[in-house]
Amino acid sequence: MKSFSSRRAQAIVVAFAAGSLVLTGCSENKGSDTGANSKKDQKQASVQSKAVTYADAAGSTGPAKDVAGAQSGGTITVYQEAGLSHLDPGQTYVSDAGQVANLLFRRLTQFQEDDKGNISVAGDLATDAGKSSDGGKTWTFTLKDGIKDAKGNAITSADVRHTVERLYAKFIFDGPTYLQTWLSGADYRKALPDGGFGKKHLPKSVLDTPDDKTVVFHFDQPRPDLPQTLAMAGYAIVPTKDDTKEKYDKAPVATGPYKIQSYKNGKSLVLVKNTNWDPKTDSVRHQYVDGWNFQFGVTESTQTKRLIADQGDDKNAIQLTGGVESTQIQDVIKNPSVSKRTVKGYQPYVMQLSFNLDRVKDLKVRQAITYALNSKSLIAGEGGVYGGDVAPNYFAPTLPGYEAKYDPYGRLATPQGNIAKAKELLKGVPAAEKKVVFAYGNSENGQKRKVAIEDALTKVGFNVVSKEVDAASYYEQIGKLDNPYDMYITGWGQDWPSPGTVVTPVYDGTQVADGAPNYSHVKDPKVDALIKKALGQQPTEAAKTWKEAQHYLLEKVVPAAPLWYTKQFQLSGSNVGGARYGSVSSLIDINQLFLKKS
């Protein structure tokens, strides 16, 4: 999953998976030393690595359990710095769009989270989390009765088929690819070049819809994680009748509790109630408020000031994926009336500096940069202990197989960077290879990160040329294979609790393509062989293979320099009820919110 700042990709934490672009410079008004707090946070994070359970029909039947004290009415204001890169479900793989998707779109399955943080997968449009047969190679889903889209049209198995097949079209390039590759292989687009918009469709041996209520997936190997995969926002239903292909990104049709009233790209998004949504069919979502007013272009510092002041409409406001701005953290935690309005938790994202291996070909250069980077400065900009912890490797504390002490570059011992080691590696490296082009997002966080990266690398003799990129389309720009950048900060979190959802999408050589999350363009035969081996093993054996893959990547390939593990620390207005940290979204749980006074 991407983080927005990373690609907070709708990850599942199970985490879901996109946020801010990330900060750098130090500040006096920040969290203190991370020590004991980090150990406590990482212990709590390990809870998020628990396996998810699959709900039966009873656990998938609506309405959703009421939130204590919930009332109806009013409009919640939502602040976000960058605009949304996509609204088309098929293009959704970042956390900001993922949060919005929870309000707008339904999928075959959905994640449920109880008040103790336990996660299950329930049937959303389907009656349950799915039924497997043939040793897990075949999965059957039955649609619930009474499901309609916002225009009043019944959702049938034909809409599910269309949703899957349109993912094969070339205009869908920025969403998850698990389902497509599982069904049709790495070159899945060749199986259906027109995305099902013509006369050709996927064969029944791959995807079968024998009647209006039944959907059957056939795979060439067991896919026990399919219910979790289908719960991703990127697999939400797109009704056949209203699909406008590329234009759908700007005006999608809702299936969830809210629909779009107006949308001004990069400026505002107004949602109102979808009267065709039936709560009796939905075990996850609510429709407490009358609407949502998303305001884009509001910096994190401004968001924080407004929410601390808590005046007028700000009493009804939340932060979408942004958090408390680092220089104002102490203003929040030292004021009890403000501090009680925060939600916080460990996220599944590992922020790293990804190298474009097509351009940065010298291993010594990549290693030198990895040693030189100042994680301490970057984390200080994130808010110190409230913003993140030093990352010594590619696996987050929320991931099964996390190795807290695996630290080949000594980042835990020298979080400010090992200047001497970096300089030693650069001896004899030509000056031309010390000139590096760094892409950063044009947000407050992006600016701060730029300062930290430039400062660290300049100290060891690099000539850093920084290039500003639009924050809303950041991942789209760096996701182009022929991009003009040597390096860029990215973040990735598990799509569900398995190292396979990190190693496979980010480092699989068969997934080097425009829009794919292999941002470093890694094509290594050994890595590919280890991925293939692990995917065919049982979890216990696979864990050893994923570990071997990570060690090989970090020590021998170095496609990216690990920087920090992210935490979320968000603030909401005093009139917002139901605010809690969502382990699924790794953000405020948008499905639970209401206004205390409308």
Side-chain angles (χ1 to χ4, degrees):
M1 148 198 353
K2 324 173 196 183
S3 146
F4 181 55
S5 89
S6 32
R7 212 181 165 179
R8 247 177 222 168
Q10 249 216 281
I12 302 166
V13 138
V14 168
F16 279 86
S20 47
L21 276 160
V22 186
L23 325 162
T24 67
C26 297
S27 163
E28 293 179 1
N29 190 9
K30 60 181 182 288
S32 57
D33 181 35
T34 62
N37 283 324
S38 293
K39 291 181 180 178
K40 179 181 178 182
D41 288 343
Q42 291 195 11
K43 185 176 181 180
Q44 292 173 341
S46 66
V47 175
Q48 295 172 276
S49 67
K50 293 188 300 183
V52 210
T53 58
Y54 292 166
D56 58 13
S60 305
T61 302
K65 181 181 179 181
D66 270 329
V67 177
Q71 301 182 44
S72 297
T75 298
I76 290 180
T77 298
V78 185
Y79 294 131
Q80 180 76 347
E81 184 167 357
L84 301 174
S85 54
H86 297 290
L87 276 175
D88 186 327
Q91 302 272 52
T92 299
Y93 210 175
V94 185
S95 55
D96 55 350
Q99 283 282 73
V100 176
N102 282 328
L103 303 173
L104 288 175
F105 309 123
R106 299 179 69 177
R107 35 270 206 190
L108 282 175
T109 59
Q110 175 62 297
F111 288 97
Q112 288 185 144
E113 182 174 355
D114 65 20
D115 53 9
K116 296 180 181 179
N118 296 309
I119 309 295
S120 62
V121 176
D124 189 359
L125 295 179
T127 55
D128 54 28
K131 292 181 171 63
S132 65
S133 56
D134 189 25
K137 293 181 180 180
T138 299
W139 283 87
T140 302
F141 297 86
T142 303
L143 299 182
K144 294 175 179 176
D145 295 326
I147 304 286
K148 298 179 180 180
D149 66 24
K151 294 188 176 183
N153 298 314
I155 298 295
T156 71
S157 61
D159 296 300
V160 179
R161 171 180 284 280
H162 174 72
T163 297
V164 175
E165 292 183 340
R166 73 191 296 272
L167 299 172
Y168 288 63
K170 289 184 178 179
F171 71 86
I172 299 293
F173 58 86
D174 213 17
T177 60
Y178 293 107
L179 182 59
Q180 307 93 293
T181 55
W182 290 354
L183 289 171
S184 304
D187 292 329
Y188 64 89
R189 293 191 195 277
K190 293 180 180 179
L192 201 63
D194 65 359
F197 288 95
K199 294 182 179 180
K200 185 178 179 181
H201 296 280
L202 292 174
K204 291 182 179 180
S205 59
V206 173
L207 174 60
D208 193 10
T209 49
D211 56 53
D212 285 348
K213 301 293 288 293
T214 307
V215 179
V216 186
F217 295 97
H218 297 284
F219 303 101
D220 61 359
Q221 66 183 74
R223 296 296 180 184
D225 292 340
L226 182 66
Q228 299 182 68
T229 309
L230 294 175
M232 298 174 71
Y235 295 118
I237 298 302
V238 174
T240 311
K241 294 179 181 178
D242 296 296
D243 193 345
T244 53
K245 299 184 179 180
E246 292 91 341
K247 295 179 181 178
Y248 196 76
D249 219 356
K250 305 303 178 187
V253 176
T255 50
Y258 296 91
K259 63 181 181 180
I260 298 173
Q261 183 181 70
S262 65
Y263 179 43
K264 295 180 181 179
N265 193 11
K267 295 181 179 180
S268 64
L269 172 66
V270 177
L271 307 184
V272 295
K273 285 185 175 181
N274 172 12
T275 55
N276 283 299
W277 172 78
D278 185 354
K280 294 178 182 179
T281 68
D282 199 324
S283 64
V284 178
R285 304 169 187 82
H286 301 281
Q287 201 183 49
Y288 291 132
V289 297
D290 295 329
W292 302 77
N293 179 9
F294 291 78
Q295 297 181 16
F296 303 105
V298 184
T299 64
E300 281 194 342
S301 57
T302 299
Q303 294 174 29
T304 306
K305 288 175 183 176
R306 290 180 182 178
L307 291 168
I308 289 175
D310 198 43
Q311 299 294 312
D313 285 343
D314 293 325
K315 292 183 178 180
N316 302 331
I318 65 169
Q319 295 180 294
L320 184 63
T321 60
V324 174
E325 194 267 328
S326 60
T327 65
Q328 300 177 68
I329 284 178
Q330 292 299 318
D331 298 331
V332 171
I333 62 177
K334 289 182 178 180
N335 186 329
S337 66
V338 178
S339 182
K340 70 180 182 181
R341 295 191 274 116
T342 61
V343 296
K344 56 185 177 180
Y346 225 113
Q347 296 185 306
Y349 309 109
V350 181
M351 303 304 295
Q352 53 196 36
L353 184 69
S354 292
F355 301 114
N356 181 341
L357 298 185
D358 293 331
R359 294 169 59 99
V360 187
K361 298 181 179 181
D362 191 330
L363 176 61
K364 287 186 177 181
V365 170
R366 301 197 297 272
Q367 291 174 326
I369 291 175
T370 302
Y371 276 111
L373 291 170
N374 189 335
S375 289
K376 188 174 183 179
S377 175
L378 287 160
I379 293 169
E382 295 298 307
V385 65
Y386 297 95
D389 289 333
V390 175
N393 56 64
Y394 297 148
F395 285 3
T398 58
L399 191 68
Y402 168 63
E403 299 175 84
K405 295 181 180 180
Y406 175 52
D407 185 15
Y409 293 89
R411 192 163 299 286
L412 296 174
T414 55
Q416 74 283 359
N418 188 333
I419 303 301
K421 182 66 175 178
K423 286 184 175 180
E424 179 185 336
L425 283 165
L426 287 175
K427 288 180 180 178
V429 173
E433 293 186 28
K434 295 179 186 177
K435 180 179 180 180
V436 289
V437 181
F438 169 63
Y440 68 97
N442 63 346
S443 64
E444 281 187 331
N445 288 350
Q447 292 285 347
K448 293 176 182 179
R449 295 176 179 185
K450 166 183 173 288
V451 173
I453 295 296
E454 289 177 342
D455 180 64
L457 297 189
T458 300
K459 287 180 179 177
V460 298
F462 282 100
N463 174 15
V464 183
V465 179
S466 298
K467 298 288 186 179
E468 184 178 281
V469 177
D470 173 58
S473 62
Y474 178 79
Y475 277 100
E476 184 176 336
Q477 298 306 313
I478 67 171
K480 294 178 180 178
L481 285 182
D482 191 24
N483 74 67
Y485 315 116
D486 294 319
M487 55 190 190
Y488 19 77
I489 289 180
T490 65
W492 192 266
Q494 68 226 43
D495 286 315
W496 54 85
S498 167
T501 66
V502 173
V503 179
T504 306
V506 183
Y507 303 115
D508 188 341
T510 66
Q511 298 193 32
V512 178
D514 285 336
N518 187 336
Y519 298 111
S520 295
H521 312 158
V522 178
K523 290 183 178 180
D524 188 285
K526 182 170 181 177
V527 174
D528 293 347
L530 289 170
I531 289 173
K532 185 176 181 179
K533 179 181 177 182
L535 292 176
Q537 294 176 314
Q538 293 300 312
T540 303
E541 288 302 310
K544 299 175 185 177
T545 307
W546 293 126
K547 176 180 177 180
E548 182 182 352
Q550 183 195 198
H551 285 224
Y552 176 77
L553 279 161
L554 190 50
E555 296 169 31
K556 304 299 182 182
V557 183
V558 197
L563 298 173
W564 75 94
Y565 301 131
T566 67
K567 298 178 184 178
Q568 188 55 277
F569 188 54
Q570 292 183 296
L571 186 59
S572 57
S574 61
N575 195 38
V576 176
R580 73 177 187 185
Y581 180 77
S583 292
V584 171
S585 64
S586 66
L587 298 161
I588 190 169
D589 189 343
I590 206 164
N591 290 326
Q592 300 289 302
L593 302 180
F594 63 90
L595 292 178
K596 301 171 185 175
K597 297 179 182 178
S598 58

